[in-house]
Amino acid sequence: MLNVSLILGIGFTLIIAMCGFLLTTFPGLNHIGALACAILLAMGYRQVFGYPERLRTGIQFSSKNLLRLAIILYGLKLNMIVIFHQGFPLLLRGTGTIIISIAVLMILARWLKADLNLSLLLGVGTGICGAAAIAAVSSIIKAKDEDTAMGVGIIALVGTAFSIIYTLLFPLLTISPIDYGKWVGISLHEIGHVALAAAPAGQDALANALLAKLARVFLLVPVCFILMIWMKKKGKMEGEAKIEFPWFLIGFIGMSFVGSYIIGNEFVVSKKHMSDIAGFTSFLLTMSMTGLGLNISLKELRTKAIRPLIAIIITSFLLSLLTFYSL
């Protein structure tokens, strides 16, 4: 039987996602990104019209199933061959970035009395790969949908601000473009932020920045498994339900192997088609964020987001300094 709520709900998130991408064609908003724009649109809809209950089935499908599919396809961005051959020192640096990001942000969160679940999402997003990491971790730590959406919105805002600051600082720095690229890749939040900040320094800087960033993306899987073990132990201590295994991470690993060892060797996929797949992945992620954004109320945003926002700004600043002086 045709599920009208499912189809209409998916269609609704599709429309909001398209509007989010459309907004990025305007000056200034292109730096914020489609994900943040879509979340803002979804939040605005919720405040004016309320949650569209008749579309709930389709909206939940987008926020959960499409989200996992997007993370699986995201694995194609990870070239494991390059990381294994060139990125071991960057893996060590990436590990340090993740530890510093999570530890400092959680310490600040406790000091500021910020929401700990949202702060943990921001710590993981800062340390690894922004929205994709937040999305992957949210189901493991049983984060609320509104916390996940707020985390994505905050990290998009802060990451964009820092990437612009990096771009302005580059002409004033005395380091080489290659070292600048490594600094960008090891410290900034999203892959898009890394590309934005590194591109003005040239192709060598951009290549090194993306390699450093991909080394951090590679660490998403072990971090997720560590968090899963931690949550299981926490669940046993507190009598909570058993944590579901994040099977989509297996898909993420599988797609990483496909992109690294099969595509280009067993069969060839053109750069245009790979770009189309990357665009499709971003669109799926934007649709899923729309579903999450509809769960945010401005009252909760005011009360929950300001302190984690302060914590991530301080953490990002300290991370930038530490990684710069470690070059």
Side-chain angles (χ1 to χ4, degrees), residues 15-295:
I15 292 171
I16 298 293
M18 290 174 65
C19 292
F21 273 89
L22 181 63
L23 284 176
T24 61
T25 61
F26 291 91
L29 293 178
N30 59 319
H31 295 313
I32 297 176
L35 269 73
C37 288
I39 287 175
L40 290 172
L41 287 173
M43 285 172 52
Y45 184 95
R46 164 74 183 269
Q47 310 321 307
V48 177
F49 302 105
Y51 190 94
E53 288 292 342
R54 286 168 47 181
L55 310 179
R56 179 177 289 275
T57 303
I59 292 170
Q60 288 184 338
F61 180 89
S62 292
S63 63
K64 292 181 171 60
N65 299 73
L66 293 187
L67 175 59
R68 290 168 182 170
L69 177 58
I71 293 171
I72 290 171
L73 292 176
Y74 195 81
L76 286 173
K77 293 178 178 285
L78 182 60
N79 191 321
M80 302 178 82
I81 298 174
V82 175
I83 291 173
F84 288 150
H85 284 84
Q86 302 179 33
F88 184 70
L90 293 175
L91 281 174
L92 293 179
R93 286 175 176 264
T95 302
T97 294
I98 294 169
I99 293 172
I100 291 170
S101 298
I102 295 176
V104 172
L105 214 150
M106 293 307 292
I107 290 170
L108 288 171
R110 289 184 181 278
W111 179 57
L112 293 168
K113 294 182 172 57
D115 183 88
L116 295 182
N117 250 21
L118 176 55
S119 298
L120 178 56
L121 290 176
L122 291 173
V124 171
T126 301
I128 306 176
C129 53
I134 289 174
V137 166
S138 61
S139 62
I140 296 173
I141 68 170
K142 295 187 175 295
K144 297 177 181 178
D145 286 351
E146 55 265 33
D147 288 347
T148 304
M150 275 191 278
V152 171
I154 290 172
I155 213 158
L157 176 65
V158 174
T160 300
F162 269 78
S163 61
I164 293 171
I165 292 171
Y166 274 40
T167 304
L168 296 174
L169 283 176
F170 173 64
L172 307 176
L173 300 175
T174 56
I175 58 176
S176 68
I178 289 176
D179 283 339
Y180 171 75
K182 290 178 181 178
W183 178 48
V184 168
I186 211 67
S187 60
L188 283 181
H189 310 69
E190 298 260 12
I191 288 181
H193 298 146
V194 169
L196 173 63
Q203 289 301 311
D204 288 342
L206 181 58
N208 279 274
L210 291 176
L211 176 60
K213 183 61 179 176
L214 289 177
R216 291 162 64 193
V217 175
F218 177 82
L219 295 168
L220 172 62
V221 174
V223 168
C224 283
F225 281 116
I226 290 170
L227 285 173
M228 187 176 66
I229 292 169
W230 174 68
M231 284 297 293
K232 279 185 176 180
K233 289 183 178 179
K234 181 182 175 183
K236 286 179 182 178
M237 289 179 357
E238 297 179 4
E240 295 178 0
K242 185 177 179 181
I243 305 298
E244 293 182 9
F245 184 84
W247 292 105
F248 60 89
L249 288 180
I250 302 299
F252 175 87
I253 297 171
M255 293 306 289
S256 299
F257 273 97
V258 169
S260 302
Y261 296 100
I262 297 178
I263 294 177
N265 296 318
E266 300 299 325
F267 63 92
V268 177
V269 178
S270 68
K271 289 184 178 180
K272 181 183 182 304
H273 287 149
M274 290 300 294
S275 177
D276 290 341
I277 293 172
F280 178 66
T281 302
S282 297
F283 195 82
L284 287 178
L285 193 57
T286 305
M287 286 179 65
S288 66
M289 290 300 112
T290 298
L292 298 178
L294 286 167
N295 291 310

